[in-house]
Amino acid sequence: MSRGPHAWLLALVLAAAAAGFGEARAEPPAAGLDAHGQLQNPALQARFERIAKELRCLQCQNESIADSNADLARDLRRQVREMLVAGKSDDAIFSFMTDRYGEFVRFAPPLSPKTALIWGAPFFMLLLGAAVIYRVVRQRSRMPLDD
Amino acid sequence: MWKFLLPFAAFVALIVLFAFGLNPKRDIHALPSPLIGKPAPEFALSDVIDPSAVVSNAALKGQVYVVNVWGTWCAECRVEHEELLAISQQHVVPIIGIDWSVDHGPGEREKAKQWLERLGNPYTQVAFDQQGRTAIDFGVYAAPETFLVDGQGNVIFKHISGMTQEVWEKEFLPRIAAAGKGGA
């Protein structure tokens, strides 16, 4: 009884994985790529891995395009590799993405007036907490020690 | 005084935050498009139905038109199709379809052809985006997505997920009227 759903799930996962591999193989080897689809230049490959981890897969939203198996993530990885091979800078690649998908495509958006709240909130909360503790401690230290 | 005012202010702030954050009408997955107000990405792709013909939006300069990105692999696109057919019968503006092939294979073109023959064709022209590059240029991440382009060639509106008569009447028609009818 309980084995049924699990077997189905396993079959589904395997099928999805197989489909994923099939697609990866169908991807034609682009210029500057080795047989495993990695960039031949190790420095470029290192940059590729860092950039791909920095970009959100918008189809799944909580994965980076480095981790995601989604079709769009695969296409965006291709885009990043091609731009690296073409000698584009990291900034150029990030602005290519944000021009099309918006700031949300980046996991760590750059500091700007719009994002100041996100970046500033933790520090603000820390200061607020410090102020509260300061006040409470000062008030208590003025109280008579009667307990 | 502050002892009561501060918690009350915090309470009000929370209510406002929740009113925005928990509004069921707000789709948290719908992202604002950075393309709004910017020139529509240019494309020149082969026609799904006649591979020797080119579908290009440069040819549509000066006209108001709609771009609908879809694919036969996309369930929501199937749902949307009937609505698009009804909308296309009003002949308001040209509707350009972009058939987004996610597997980059040529099979999607054949499937799209069959789809249009079987279900009817709401599109003025359908482009075949085999490499998915035009979809990337338009910042598409969840087909179907529908864009409205004005006579200056700028994107003025984007709708994510299936088109409906209601969206068409509420969001598209007023903007088309304001942009000046481009003729269909």
Side-chain angles (χ1 to χ4, degrees):
Chain A
M1 184 70 185
S2 71
R3 277 192 62 166
H6 283 106
W8 267 109
L9 211 68
L10 188 68
L12 258 175
V13 168
L14 286 176
F21 285 133
E23 264 164 19
R25 239 180 267 126
E27 219 168 332
L33 296 185
D34 67 15
H36 306 288
Q38 295 217 326
L39 290 155
Q40 280 158 354
N41 180 336
L44 285 189
Q45 178 64 23
R47 275 175 67 204
F48 166 75
E49 280 165 20
R50 193 171 43 72
I51 291 170
K53 276 191 193 124
E54 253 290 294
L55 291 169
R56 192 189 302 270
C57 164
L58 292 172
Q59 258 170 0
C60 11
Q61 295 213 347
N62 286 322
E63 276 182 308
S64 71
I65 65 163
D67 298 328
S68 172
N69 280 321
D71 299 308
L72 181 60
R74 182 205 55 210
D75 286 4
L76 292 179
R77 287 196 295 270
R78 174 191 65 187
Q79 187 71 40
V80 172
R81 285 197 194 97
E82 285 173 358
M83 291 182 83
L84 285 168
V85 171
K88 296 280 197 286
S89 71
D90 293 10
D91 279 349
I93 295 171
F94 283 128
S95 42
F96 177 94
M97 296 296 171
T98 51
D99 282 352
R100 284 160 180 75
Y101 297 101
E103 287 296 343
F104 190 67
V105 78
R106 296 193 65 171
F107 277 114
L111 188 56
S112 75
K114 261 184 165 173
T115 60
L117 190 66
I118 306 172
W119 287 104
F123 301 103
F124 174 74
M125 293 308 250
L126 194 70
L127 282 178
L128 196 75
V132 167
I133 289 174
Y134 177 76
R135 276 187 63 132
V136 168
V137 168
R138 226 174 54 154
Q139 245 170 19
R140 294 224 173 140
S141 64
R142 280 202 200 125
M143 277 195 250
L145 296 165
D146 57 5
D147 52 55
Chain B
M1 183 67 174
W2 277 108
K3 256 198 171 145
F4 300 102
L5 256 180
L6 261 179
F8 184 70
F11 175 72
V12 170
L14 266 185
I15 294 287
V16 171
L17 186 73
F18 286 169
F20 280 106
L22 301 178
N23 184 351
K25 281 193 181 155
R26 183 171 154 269
D27 181 3
I28 55 161
H29 295 295
L31 303 169
S33 172
L35 245 62
I36 306 294
K38 302 227 177 81
E42 286 188 11
F43 60 86
L45 298 163
S46 78
D47 192 304
V48 162
I49 295 156
D50 173 13
S52 64
V54 173
V55 180
S56 149
N57 59 347
L60 290 162
K61 273 260 161 71
Q63 280 189 78
V64 179
Y65 61 95
V66 165
V67 175
N68 175 254
V69 182
W70 64 290
T72 59
W73 42 270
C74 145
E76 183 78 22
C77 301
R78 176 65 188 84
V79 176
E80 169 191 72
H81 196 79
E82 317 290 325
E83 305 274 344
L84 276 181
L85 276 173
I87 289 166
S88 74
Q89 260 134 46
Q90 299 171 15
H91 298 290
V92 182
V93 289
I95 302 175
I96 308 300
I98 293 180
D99 176 26
W100 181 16
S101 170
V102 281
D103 61 5
H104 303 170
E108 172 68 18
R109 182 199 291 272
E110 214 36 60
K111 283 187 207 153
K113 252 189 194 168
Q114 284 168 14
W115 163 301
L116 295 173
E117 274 164 24
R118 193 159 44 88
L119 304 169
N121 185 353
Y123 303 108
T124 317
Q125 282 177 300
V126 196
F128 185 47
D129 186 16
Q130 185 168 353
Q131 294 303 322
R133 289 183 197 277
T134 302
I136 290 178
D137 281 342
F138 272 88
V140 175
Y141 62 89
E145 291 189 15
T146 308
F147 299 81
L148 182 61
V149 183
D150 71 6
Q152 282 78 51
N154 293 324
V155 177
I156 53 174
F157 186 70
K158 169 183 180 175
H159 176 70
I160 297 172
S161 86
M163 281 293 286
T164 61
Q165 199 62 39
E166 194 191 351
V167 170
W168 177 247
E169 278 165 17
K170 273 198 184 150
E171 308 283 3
F172 282 75
L173 285 181
R175 287 182 173 89
I176 292 169
K181 194 169 164 286

